[in-house]
Each structure stands twice: as structure tokens, then as C-alpha cells.
């Protein structure tokens, strides 16, 4: 099965390439939030009836911690158990939360730049893919993001297909950015004394402060053995005051992150701007060793604080004792994103080039649900997103937390698909659960539908979600004829599979990744794709 389908939703709906169906016109939109009249007519698509058996949960993997060899360092990463292939007749529905984190890519780069292959659990493939922008069409109507689907052959498993789902958040000009109430929550413990920790934190936040204006306010909370308010809410046009407070910070003592988190949220709530951006920006290596210290306790603390309506951004710094697993979980539960800043260039990317997306959330609790047609799909595998899996019943549970999209952000997810008739061929990889029970029956679905895609999201101030869904048809298209962005994203995913020594890497190699990515790099205004090519070459050298 080799196909290319592109679907663009963004208030209006347009279909490109034969084989795209947007549903029957005139049906009411599926929404538990805004009224149907608030939706553009072109999104008037009723949800299809869920296939029989669709309530089967897509199993989630609880995060575990894996400690690296203490003789090397004390960094900690949550164990990743890769998603396996799922039989589409037994579990036709897959549900997950979107993720805009990019920390893993910068962390992988740091390992490679220092002459080491990263540990497998440091490689979250979705974060590698999402580090890069893709030229998805922007939204054009009330829905705050567009949805794009493209399907073509799978480069590392040619008898399979690869489906790419891409979201593009609405762009926002700097002048239109709402007023911000920002609390810098800074770890100044002794472990932050290295040049790539607190000194880099200071220079990174100075870049951010330079971009803020008179309608923005900045507070600074620090924590070490105890926590304290270094700078009360200060208008950002008083830049010298803010910069002087940052410059005076020194590292020393133990790390009581829990009390710092509580004080930061109290400060943010006390200065809350209704209709504005209210955000805690946590900068740390994650080495919490006093007070609330366990990952589970810290996550519960963040979940409690998140109910205040204040969002959280988490940025990891430094090497040797980075507590990556903890930081990633805090960001996920704090309605925010997780980045890793290893260089001044990365700080500029996050706090200058992507400032509006870093600060402004345009949609939250964004969930994706795919119903595969078992008449055409034998099995499927979601690549990455292992800690973002949801039970199918969570899709319409508005109390269930999911991911956020910032202004202008792109989000990409990839599924590897085994077509019906291909599952019996020797694929060279393990396919879990393809045994067909005697009582299995084909589920209802149009013969030409490959899958039906559904999304739910909340506007930042809403408590109820809006939903839309549409079917996607397939038309033959080899990988070589897919769009450049599709091929580049596939190359990045393949790179992640190889770094993880994944059993699903098929015929892939660093050489094929390099060839594919170089041929699909396209416009590269900031040089990030060229940097990727250099990292692939570096990984290939280290693997020899």
C-alpha cells in the first residue's frame, strides 16, 4: 500500500490529491463545546459511528525510571517501551495526546557533539521529528490549527505504508501577543554552577527579556535549600532592573524544588492577567534532592498547581545529572512543553525565533483518535508518543489532560501501516498480535477508507472540547513521490529508530537517512536541517 493523501482543515476544508474524502456535507459538527453555529459550514461533519469493538483501550505504558551507569553520570531517563504493531481487527482504534516537546532532539545533539551515542531512553522519536518546522498550510477559519494527512510508502519497510499527521497552529504577530505574566522559576542550587547551567540560564532569559514590552510583567523565584522571591512582578520595560536581578544570582546549596514550585505558582496567581499569558518558566537540571523529591510526588504537585490556570514551561540545562524523565513529566502535567537548552543558539531558537509559540497557547488538551479500516489495514504502529497514549474512552473525557499547541507550532505524528495481504510476508520485524481469533469479524467501514481521523481540542479559556472527524482515502504513491517535508520527517524518524537500535528499523541505515534527508532538506533558513545532516554523519562515525 503506497499512497499520498493530503487533507487540510483550518476552519475551511480543502482536499488535495485524488483519494481524499471530507465526509458528507450538511451534517452537524460533533462538539461537546461550542455550538454548531460557531463552526464554519465546511466543518459540518458528523462523527461516524464508532466501529464495533472500538472501546478496547489502547494500552498505555507507565513511565519507569532507568538510571545510567553512575560511573559515567547520574542522568536519569524514563524507560521507553516502544509501541508494537497492533492488529487492526482486534484494536482498530488508536488514541493519543499531541506533544510539542523538543527536548530530546537537543539532548541527543549534545551527546553526539560530545562524542557519545545517546542512551536509547533519551531518544523520544516524536520530539526529534517535532524539532523541525514543516510547511503545513495555516488554518483559515475558527479552528486554531490546520490538520494535514499524507500517506506514502515506508522507506525502511517498503511493503508497508507510512501515514503522517501534521497540525499547524495559527501564527500570531509579536504585536498581537497578549500581555504576559511570567514567573521565572530558577534552580540556583550547587549543581547549577557549571557554565552550561546557571550562566546559560541567565543568558537565555536575557534574550527573552529583551523581547518583552511594557504590557508584560516578570517575577523571579529561586530555590536551593529554600525558596525566595528575588524580584516581584516588574513591568518588562524596566529591563535593567530585571537583568540586574538575573545577573546577581549565584549557585549554591541543595535543591528544594517543591517549595520553589509552590511559591512560583502563588506569585503567578497573585499577578494573574485575565485573557493574557500566565506562565511559570522553570529552568533547572531537575536534580531535586530536598523536600518533595520523587518524580511521582512532584508530578502530583504540578497537577494540583495546574488547576490555577497558570501554564508551565520546563527547560533543562546541563549534563552529568540531568533528570530528564522528571522534567518531561512535569511539563506534560503542567499544561506546557519541555525543552532542553544546550547552547546559546538553542536559547535563541526558543526565546527569540519561537517566542510567541513558547509563550502563547492557542489550543489545549488536543487529542487525536484514528480508526483504521481493517478491510484495508492489517496492523499499525504509532511511532513514538509512548508516554502520550490514551485509552480510547479518554478521547471524549474532557477531564483527561492532553497536549497543548502554541501559536505557530507544528506537530507531527507518524504511523507505520501493514496493508491487508502483507502481514503474511516475511517483513523482518516482529508483528505483535496478528493471530486472528476464530470469532473475529470485519468491522464496518467504507471499502476505500484507509482510516478515519478525529480530533478534540479546547480553546485556552474553555472547559469543554470541540470535535471534528473525517475519513481519509488512499491512492497509490511511492515514497519517492511524497512531499519533501514527508520524506524529511521520515528520515528523522528513521534516525531515531537507528539510535534506539529499534527492532522496527527494518532496512534503514544512517547512509539511507543521510541520502533521504539531504534530498528533502528544502528551504533551510536557520540551518537546522543542515545541522541534522551533520549529526547523522557524526552518529554513523560513532556507530562504526
Amino acid at each position: 500500500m503506497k499512497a499520498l493523501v493530503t487533507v487540510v482543515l483550518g476552519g475551511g476544508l480543502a482536499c488535495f490529491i485524488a483519494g481524499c474524502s471530507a465526509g458528507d456535507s450538511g451534517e452537524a459538527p460533533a462538539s461537546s463545546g461550542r455550538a454548531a453555529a460557531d463552526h464554519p459550514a465546511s466543518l459540518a461533519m458528523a462523527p461516524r459511528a464508532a466501529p464495533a469493538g472500538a472501546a478496547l483501550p489502547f494500552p498505555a505504558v507507565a513511565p519507569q525510571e532507568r538510571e545510567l551507569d553512575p560511573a559515567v553520570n547520574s542522568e536519569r531517563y524514563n524507560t521507553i517501551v516502544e509501541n508494537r504493531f497492533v492488529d487492526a481487527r482486534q484494536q482498530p482504534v488508536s488514541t493519543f495526546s499531541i506533544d510539542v516537546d523538543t527536548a530530546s532532539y537537543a539532548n541527543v545533539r549534545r551527546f553526539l557533539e560530545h562524542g557519545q551515542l545517546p542512551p536509547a531512553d533519551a531518544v523520544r522519536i516524536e520530539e526529534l521529528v517535532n524539532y523541525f518546522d514543516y510547511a503545513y498550510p495555516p488554518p483559515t477559519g475558527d479552528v486554531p490549527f490546520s490538520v494535514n494527512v499524507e500517506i506514502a510508502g515506508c522507506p525502511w519497510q517498503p511493503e508497508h505504508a507510512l501515514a503522517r499527521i501534521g497540525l499547524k497552529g495559527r501564527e500570531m504577530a509579536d504585536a498581537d501577543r497578549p500581555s504576559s505574566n511570567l514567573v521565572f522559576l530558577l534552580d540556583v542550587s550547587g549543581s547549577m554552577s557549571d557554565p552550561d547551567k546557571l550562566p546559560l540560564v541567565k543568558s537565555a532569559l536575557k534574550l527573552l527579556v529583551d523581547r518583552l514590552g511594557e504590557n508584560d510583567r516578570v517575577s523571579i523565584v529561586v530555590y536551593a535549600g529554600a525558596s525566595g522571591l528575588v524580584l516581584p512582578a516588574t513591568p518588562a520595560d524596566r529591563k535593567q532592573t530585571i537583568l540586574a536581578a538575573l545577573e546577581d544570582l549565584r549557585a549554591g546549596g541543595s535543591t528544594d524544588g517543591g517549595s520553589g514550585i509552590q511559591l512560583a505558582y502563588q506569585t503567578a496567581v497573585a499577578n494573574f492577567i485575565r485573557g493574557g499569558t500566565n506562565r511559570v518558566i522553570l529552568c533547572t537540571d531537575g536534580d531535586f534532592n530536598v523536600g518533595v523529591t520523587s518524580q511521582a510526588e512532584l508530578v502530583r504537585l504540578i497537577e494540583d498547581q495546574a488547576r490555577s490556570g497558570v501554564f508551565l514551561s520546563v527547560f533543562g540545562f546541563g549534563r552529568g545529572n540531568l533528570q530528564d524523565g522528571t522534567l518531561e513529566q512535569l511539563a506534560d502535567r503542567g499544561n506546557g512543553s519541555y525543552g532542553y537548552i544546550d547552547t546559546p543558539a538553542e536559547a535563541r531558537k526558543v526565546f527569540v525565533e519561537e517566542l510567541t509559540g513558547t509563550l502563547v497557547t492557542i489550543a489545549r488538551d488536543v487529542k487525536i483518535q484514528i480508526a483504521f479500516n481493517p478491510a484495508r489495514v492489517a496492523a499499525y504502529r504509532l511511532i513514538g508518543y509512548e508516554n502520550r497514549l490514551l485509552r480510547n474512552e479518554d478521547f471524549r473525557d474532557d477531564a483527561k489532560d492532553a497536549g497543548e499547541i502554541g501559536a505557530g507550532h507544528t506537530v507531527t505524528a507518524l504511523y507505520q501501516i501493514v496493508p491487508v495481504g502483507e502481514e503474511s510476508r516475511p517483513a523482518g520485524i516482529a508483528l505483535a498480535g496478528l493471530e486472528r481469533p476464530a470469532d473475529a469479524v470485519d468491522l464496518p467501514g467504507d471499502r476505500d477508507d484507509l482510516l478515519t481521523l478525529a480530533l478534540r481540542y479546547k480553546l485556552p479559556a474553555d472547559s469543554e472540547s470541540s470535535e471534528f472527524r473525517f475519513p481519509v482515502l488512499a491512492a497509490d504513491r511511492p515514497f519517492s513521490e511524497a512531499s519533501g517535508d514527508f520524506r524529511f520527517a521520515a528520515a528523522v524518524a528513521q534516525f531515531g529508530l537507528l539510535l534506539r537500535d529499534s527492532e522496527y528499523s527494518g532496512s534503514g541505515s544512517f547512509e539511507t537517512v543521510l541520502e533521504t534527508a539531504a534530498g528533502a532538506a528544502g528551504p533551510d533558513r536557520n540551518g537546522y536541517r543542515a545541522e541534522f545532516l551533520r549529526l547523522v554523519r557524526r552518529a554513523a562515525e560513532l556507530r562504526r
Side-chain angles (χ1 to χ4, degrees), residues 146-230:
S146 66
V147 184
N148 312 269
V149 180
E150 186 174 352
I151 303 170
C154 179
W156 59 86
Q157 202 73 42
E159 62 269 33
H160 294 174
L162 196 64
R164 181 188 67 159
I165 301 164
L167 309 184
K168 168 68 175 179
R170 178 175 291 114
E171 300 277 0
M172 180 179 292
D174 223 20
D176 297 330
R177 182 173 57 80
S179 300
S180 297
N181 162 37
L182 305 179
V183 179
F184 298 166
L185 174 57
L186 309 182
D187 181 351
V188 295
S189 63
S191 68
M192 291 291 290
S193 61
D194 294 340
D196 59 352
K197 294 187 179 180
L198 185 57
L200 184 55
V201 170
K202 292 181 183 181
S203 61
L205 292 178
K206 287 176 183 177
L207 292 174
L208 172 56
V209 171
D210 283 343
R211 294 292 304 277
L212 301 177
E214 61 182 354
N215 295 323
D216 303 311
R217 295 196 293 250
V218 173
S219 308
I220 301 177
V221 171
V222 298
Y223 64 92
S227 60
L229 180 64
V230 169

Side-chain angles (χ1 to χ4, degrees), residues 479-497:
F479 179 75
S480 60
E481 296 181 13
S483 70
D485 273 354
F486 182 101
R487 288 180 284 122
F488 188 85
V492 177
Q494 188 176 355
F495 181 58
L497 293 172

